[in-house]
């Protein structure tokens, strides 16, 4: 069924996004995925656990959760930072959910397109010249190691592997703007908006 790694990854990306939608619909109407709480006796756990860990779904005859699927399957098995721009967690600060399914034959082009859309959106990457700050999505903070280049082929930045990644993937105009200030501006992370993206 899955002749290449791209076909496998496309399956898991689609599976993740589909089950996020299903999980939201099961609990709808909610204002945020954080409204799906862990069991009452485990009130001390992080707010995200209810939606991403305690909901269980069946994949290929095995029961698992969205946290395991996103991290142990998609991130660990495929080690492609572009997946962060293809996985949608039904929240406003997530990448936009594409209006198509990922396919093995077109996956590289699709992931490149989703990456470009995410990085060119000022909600996720913006340069604040007035306050000398580079604002980045919290995704870059949580998964910073995923954006390092183990091959050593990517453009380097003395300041941050994140800046190096961005310089290689931003469109030319925005990349030049970033390069000009990367060693002068502080990097800060945009607070994540967990509000439900049902209106976007």
């Amino acid at each position: 069924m899955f002749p290449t790694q791209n076909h496998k990854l496309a399956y898991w990306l689609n599976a993740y996004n589909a089950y996020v939608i299903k999980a939201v619909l099961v609990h709808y109407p909610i204002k945020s995925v954080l409204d799906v709480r862990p069991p009452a006796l485990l009130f001390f756990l992080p707010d995200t656990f209810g939606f991403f860990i305690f909901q269980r779904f069946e994949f290929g005859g095995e029961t698992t959760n969205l946290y395991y699927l996103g991290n142990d399957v998609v991130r660990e098995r495929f080690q492609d930072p572009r997946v962060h721009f293809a996985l949608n967690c039904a929240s406003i600060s997530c990448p936009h959910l594409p209006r198509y399914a990922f396919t093995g034959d077109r996956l590289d082009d699709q992931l490149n397109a989703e990456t470009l859309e995410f990085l060119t959106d000022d909600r996720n990457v913006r340069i604040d010249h007035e306050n000398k700050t580079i604002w980045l999505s919290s995704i870059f903070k949580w998964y910073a190691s995923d954006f390092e280049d183990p091959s050593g082929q990517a453009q380097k930045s003395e300041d941050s592997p994140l800046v190096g990644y961005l310089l290689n993937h931003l469109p030319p105009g925005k990349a030049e703007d970033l390069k000009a200030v990367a060693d002068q501006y502080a990097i800060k992370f945009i607070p994540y908006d967990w509000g439900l993206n049902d209106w976007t």
Side-chain angles (χ1 to χ4, degrees), residues 20 24 31-34 48 51-52 87-97 123 192-200:
V20 166
V24 169
K31 294 182 178 180
S32 167
V33 296
L34 303 185
T48 54
F51 189 82
F52 294 101
L87 295 172
N88 183 278
C89 63
S91 301
I92 292 171
S93 288
C94 290
H96 290 137
L97 183 66
R123 296 181 315 129
Y192 211 74
D193 188 342
W194 289 101
L196 201 66
N197 65 357
D198 55 349
W199 56 270
T200 59

Side-chain angles (χ1 to χ4, degrees), residues 119 148 151 153 179 184 191:
L119 297 183
E148 296 177 2
S151 71
Q153 299 302 309
K179 188 174 183 179
Q184 306 168 41

Side-chain angles (χ1 to χ4, degrees), residues 55-66:
Q55 293 190 105
R56 310 290 289 179
F57 303 102
E58 187 173 305
F59 297 90
E62 296 186 9
T63 301
T64 188
N65 59 47
L66 291 167

Side-chain angles (χ1 to χ4, degrees), residues 36-191:
V36 181
R37 306 294 299 172
L41 292 176
L42 301 176
F43 64 90
F44 52 86
L45 292 174
D47 292 340
T48 54
F49 276 34
F51 189 82
F52 294 101
I53 291 182
F54 283 97
Q55 293 190 105
R56 310 290 289 179
F57 303 102
E58 187 173 305
F59 297 90
E62 296 186 9
T63 301
T64 188
N65 59 47
L66 291 167
Y67 179 87
Y68 175 84
L69 181 57
N71 288 282
D72 292 30
V73 176
V74 173
R75 288 180 58 228
E76 292 299 321
R77 292 185 191 176
F78 298 95
Q79 298 189 11
D80 185 334
R82 296 176 299 173
V83 302
H84 291 291
F85 315 124
L87 295 172
N88 183 278
C89 63
S91 301
I92 292 171
S93 288
C94 290
H96 290 137
L97 183 66
R99 296 180 179 273
Y100 55 79
F102 294 105
T103 62
D105 293 338
R106 299 185 55 233
L107 187 62
D108 278 319
D109 289 339
Q110 290 174 325
L111 290 179
N112 287 338
E114 297 306 315
T115 299
L116 185 62
E117 178 180 341
F118 188 86
L119 297 183
T120 54
D121 190 334
D122 284 344
R123 296 181 315 129
N124 309 311
V125 179
R126 67 176 180 269
I127 300 171
D128 179 355
H129 292 292
E130 182 177 352
N131 295 296
K132 295 186 176 182
T133 301
I134 301 165
W135 289 99
L136 302 178
S137 165
S138 289
I139 289 173
F140 291 107
K141 177 181 180 181
W142 299 332
Y143 305 106
S145 62
D146 290 5
F147 297 97
E148 296 177 2
D149 176 37
S151 71
Q153 299 302 309
Q155 183 171 340
K156 297 296 185 182
S157 168
E158 296 297 329
D159 303 283
S160 165
L162 290 179
V163 171
Y165 180 86
L166 293 169
L167 290 174
N168 282 279
H169 293 87
L170 286 170
K174 201 167 186 177
E176 287 301 316
D177 195 14
L178 174 63
K179 188 174 183 179
V181 300
D183 61 347
Q184 306 168 41
Y185 288 12
I187 294 177
K188 296 185 180 180
F189 297 96
I190 302 164

